[in-house]
Amino acid sequence: MGRTYANLGTALNKLNEYDSSFVYFRKAFNAYDQSENHILAENCLQHLANTHETVGSIDTAVRIFTEATDYNILHKNYPQAVKNWIQISSVFVRAKNIPKAIEALNQAIAFTKDQELNNVYILYNRLANLYKKEGMYALALENLQKAYDNLDSLNEVSEKKVNILIEIGWIHRDMNNPDIAQDYFERAMKLAEEHQLYERIYQIFGHFQTIFDAKGEYEQLVESAKKALAYGEEHNIDRSKALFMNNMGDAYVKLGNTQLAIETLTASLIYARQTNNTFHIALALTTLAEAYMQKEDYSTALNYARESFALRQLLGGI
């Protein structure tokens, strides 16, 4: 009967008849539990919790996810129990209750360590992101380091470690520690190069450009952008081509090399239009307006500024 009850619950859910759906999913859970089909029983709890969240019953959703956690622990499905805590945390995040979301992840971490489960780095990483959202950078960095150490102990794949090093670098950038941020980006670059992670290498060039801009090292920024563009050509990666050209053009403006700035930014605008990247088009237009103002060609600057303003309005004022 479990399958029949579940089908009824699913159909009623799709028809937005939630109260009736809840009744049948609970019946399905009981039937599956009695037949000791614990995985399908827990799936019913998942449906119940997710639907309660959908209709705005946050407390009920958390209560049922907690029930699912206890059910999985009872039946020694420990990895799924950890996923339940992650789900509880996600519910609280969507409800904008970050302290409760953090509490749920800490419970999952304590349980994971107690049961000596692998991959606790996922939890540390999520926890770090929540602390970062709250502006609690020291705790974010502490948990990212724990995530990195856990990956080390598991001899985990290098791309995950590269991502953590990049995230640590960005937090230091947000904390106005550009030199420390640059050190972490260099570590990430070295690891990415060792394992031929071409997309990550290309991405890290962009991170360096951000750091060089923050430090006022515009000549280094230009060299980094040139290397990135050459690397992209070599490995057939062009996702950020217009952005890197814009970064270079902006650096030329700041160095007072107006003509090179205009040439580079015009090329950036052309490429952004070819690829129909609206954000990169708006960025190139904005920087071109600044370059032409530097040239004291205010009529052309005004045209670019107006076009940029109209496009940014369409993008929501970014």
Side-chain angles (χ1 to χ4, degrees), residues 9-77:
T10 301
L12 288 162
N13 182 288
K14 295 296 184 182
L15 293 169
N16 298 331
E17 295 184 26
Y18 297 120
D19 289 341
S20 298
S21 173
F22 296 149
V23 170
Y24 281 108
F25 270 123
R26 182 56 72 174
K27 286 177 181 287
F29 167 76
N30 291 333
Y32 282 132
D33 182 48
Q34 287 169 12
S35 63
E36 298 189 356
N37 193 331
H38 304 308
I39 292 175
L40 290 179
E42 197 266 350
N43 282 346
C44 293
L45 295 178
Q46 294 278 338
H47 282 292
L48 282 166
N50 287 326
T51 305
H52 274 290
E53 185 189 2
T54 299
V55 300
S57 301
I58 302 302
D59 291 343
T60 304
V62 169
R63 179 178 57 76
I64 296 173
F65 273 131
T66 302
E67 181 185 352
T69 307
D70 294 339
Y71 187 80
N72 281 312
I73 292 171
L74 176 66
H75 296 290
K76 301 189 185 309
N77 189 351

Side-chain angles (χ1 to χ4, degrees), residues 278 282 305-318:
T278 309
R306 281 175 171 163
E307 192 176 352
S308 171
F309 177 78
L311 195 54
R312 287 177 183 273
Q313 290 292 101
L314 289 174
L315 291 171
I318 62 169

Side-chain angles (χ1 to χ4, degrees), residues 187-203:
R187 285 179 60 186
M189 178 67 89
K190 182 179 178 183
L191 192 58
E193 287 174 340
E194 286 174 4
H195 296 276
Q196 298 181 329
L197 302 173
Y198 303 127
E199 287 278 354
R200 283 289 170 267
I201 292 168
Y202 184 71
Q203 176 190 36

Side-chain angles (χ1 to χ4, degrees), residues 264-297:
T264 306
L265 292 166
T266 300
S268 173
L269 179 60
I270 290 169
Y271 187 78
R273 282 178 167 154
Q274 286 173 348
T275 55
N276 200 29
N277 189 313
T278 309
F279 175 74
H280 288 165
I281 293 169
L283 194 60
L285 290 168
T286 298
T287 319
L288 269 168
E290 293 165 357
Y292 276 101
M293 281 190 279
Q294 187 175 76
K295 191 180 178 181
E296 298 184 2
D297 182 347

Side-chain angles (χ1 to χ4, degrees), residues 14-158:
K14 295 296 184 182
L15 293 169
N16 298 331
E17 295 184 26
Y18 297 120
D19 289 341
S20 298
S21 173
F22 296 149
V23 170
Y24 281 108
F25 270 123
R26 182 56 72 174
K27 286 177 181 287
F29 167 76
N30 291 333
Y32 282 132
D33 182 48
Q34 287 169 12
S35 63
E36 298 189 356
N37 193 331
H38 304 308
I39 292 175
L40 290 179
E42 197 266 350
N43 282 346
C44 293
L45 295 178
Q46 294 278 338
H47 282 292
L48 282 166
N50 287 326
T51 305
H52 274 290
E53 185 189 2
T54 299
V55 300
S57 301
I58 302 302
D59 291 343
T60 304
V62 169
R63 179 178 57 76
I64 296 173
F65 273 131
T66 302
E67 181 185 352
T69 307
D70 294 339
Y71 187 80
N72 281 312
I73 292 171
L74 176 66
H75 296 290
K76 301 189 185 309
N77 189 351
Y78 299 143
Q80 186 58 40
V82 172
K83 289 180 181 178
N84 294 144
W85 269 306
I86 292 174
Q87 289 169 314
I88 292 169
S89 177
S90 297
V91 170
F92 281 126
V93 168
R94 289 188 287 269
K96 303 189 186 311
N97 190 339
I98 303 301
K100 281 290 186 181
I102 289 171
E103 181 183 318
L105 288 178
N106 277 319
Q107 288 176 315
I109 288 170
F111 179 80
T112 300
K113 290 166 122 181
D114 186 54
Q115 298 298 326
E116 298 182 349
L117 302 177
N118 292 332
N119 297 339
V120 70
Y121 79 90
I122 295 171
L123 300 171
Y124 284 131
N125 207 13
R126 284 177 172 269
L127 193 54
N129 287 333
L130 292 182
Y131 281 129
K132 181 182 175 183
K133 284 182 180 178
E134 291 293 281
M136 301 168 74
Y137 294 131
L139 285 170
L141 290 171
E142 178 185 323
N143 281 279
L144 283 171
Q145 187 60 54
K146 288 178 179 178
Y148 189 89
D149 292 343
N150 180 243
L151 287 170
D152 250 358
S153 71
L154 297 172
N155 292 320
E156 257 291 356
V157 293
S158 53

Side-chain angles (χ1 to χ4, degrees), residues 141 165-166 168-173 175-188 208 211 215:
L141 290 171
L165 291 171
I166 290 171
I168 292 173
W170 274 116
I171 290 176
H172 279 293
R173 169 68 182 88
M175 294 173 67
N176 272 330
N177 296 326
D179 290 327
I180 299 175
Q182 186 173 338
D183 287 342
Y184 276 99
F185 291 150
E186 286 171 356
R187 285 179 60 186
F208 280 128
I211 294 301
K215 293 168 70 174

